[in-house]
Amino acid sequence: MTSSELWTRATADRYDAEEADMSSAAALGPTLAFLAELAGDGRALEFAIGTGRVGVPLRERGVPVVGIELSEHMAAVLRRKTDEVTLPVVIGDMATTAVAGGFTLVYLVYNTITNLLTQDEQVECFRNAARHLEPGGRFVIELLVPPLRLLPPGQVAVPFDVSQRHLGFDTFDLVEQMLVSHHFTRDGDDGHYRRANSRHRYAWPAELDLMARIAGLELERRVADWDGSPFTQDSAKHVSVWRKPA
């Protein structure tokens, strides 16, 4: 067991509805095209596959996908969508769990590497990806750039969503390189809000590059989004690709 927090049954059952916008064809199209091109004719391994938001449609595109997922509840939601033969899922953590066979692509989307709450575990995640990759294979991570430029002196919180149904903000511990995401979600129309929070260890692109070097991987490409737009100092997130030397 790693330091990642486990997703509960209630959270897993709500997940797809709450992430409906991110699961639309318009939102997923560039992601699937990007990953399918990298996978080529090989197999893809998704770390923290969750309910299959990306893995299931990628498999439907013809890419053989295998998943690793820490939460049995999240995996159970995925299993309602497709069977074990079509998309196998191994219950375990993304830093140490092994899957048989080699892969041309290992990928980790939607900021999920930050669920590993120590630098050592994040390094092990890179090493685990490298162990599963065939020579020439790629490891892909999608991750927000820490929004610390938005913090004026003395402030520790940054809002990331203010809408009718949801209020979200992150609080930062700059010494420990940790953040807590706070969510206040409106349930129904009675004015009540459901509160939840989750802990994350944020990391800078350069730090991830060093983790990759430790694992024997080389940075091949970094873009601002799945559409391939250039990564700049003003980019809010990045999609990074590291290659295992042939």
Side-chain angles (χ1 to χ4, degrees):
M1 180 69 69
T2 69
S3 60
S4 297
E5 296 176 348
L6 273 173
W7 294 69
T8 65
R9 182 187 301 275
T11 301
D13 287 341
R14 289 192 301 263
Y15 185 83
D16 284 349
E18 293 182 346
E19 298 296 335
D21 290 344
M22 294 297 296
S23 302
S24 68
L28 277 180
T31 306
L32 300 176
F34 193 106
L35 295 175
E37 181 180 0
L38 289 180
D41 296 328
R43 297 197 304 158
L45 173 62
E46 181 172 354
F47 285 173
I49 194 170
T51 66
R53 181 182 67 89
V54 174
V56 170
L58 185 61
R59 180 66 184 90
E60 291 171 349
R61 282 197 172 208
V63 178
V65 176
V66 179
I68 292 175
E69 173 54 44
L70 184 62
S71 169
E72 294 186 20
H73 301 301
M74 296 288 278
V77 175
L78 182 152
R79 194 52 65 221
R80 301 170 195 165
K81 305 172 185 178
T82 187
D83 59 65
E84 177 71 17
V85 173
T86 302
L87 203 167
V89 175
V90 177
I91 301 299
D93 69 84
M94 55 187 160
T96 63
T97 302
V99 174
F103 297 85
T104 58
L105 173 67
V106 179
Y107 65 95
L108 180 55
V109 300
Y110 213 19
N111 308 316
T112 312
I113 193 169
T114 66
N115 290 358
L116 298 170
L117 301 181
T118 70
Q119 186 183 69
D120 286 344
E121 289 178 350
Q122 291 178 353
V123 169
E124 287 306 312
C125 180
F126 273 82
R127 285 176 166 159
N128 199 29
R131 284 192 292 268
H132 284 92
L133 285 172
E134 298 174 349
R138 277 91 169 191
F139 182 36
V140 177
I141 284 181
E142 175 190 22
L143 184 60
L144 288 175
V145 176
L148 301 189
R149 293 169 65 187
L150 301 178
L151 285 174
Q155 183 172 316
V156 297
V158 172
F160 58 84
D161 185 29
V162 180
S163 62
Q164 286 291 97
R165 289 287 180 181
H166 179 253
L167 302 175
F169 61 93
D170 292 330
T171 53
F172 291 85
D173 182 332
L174 303 183
V175 174
E176 297 297 330
Q177 208 164 307
M178 298 288 292
L179 69 85
V180 179
S181 284
H182 304 265
H183 302 267
F184 294 84
T185 306
R186 189 173 181 179
D187 281 333
D189 296 318
D190 59 3
H192 288 87
Y193 281 78
R194 171 171 37 86
R195 180 177 181 176
N197 60 68
S198 58
R199 296 181 299 152
H200 304 268
R201 181 187 185 272
Y202 63 85
W204 299 96
E207 184 182 5
L208 298 182
D209 290 342
L210 183 56
M211 294 181 189
R213 289 181 60 187
I214 292 171
L217 304 176
E218 302 170 348
L219 180 66
E220 181 177 76
R221 184 183 183 195
R222 173 167 291 128
V223 293
D225 209 339
W226 297 105
D227 60 6
S229 51
F231 179 75
T232 72
Q233 65 178 1
D234 296 318
S235 298
K237 76 171 188 178
H238 62 97
V239 176
S240 296
V241 182
W242 297 274
R243 184 175 180 270
K244 184 174 182 177

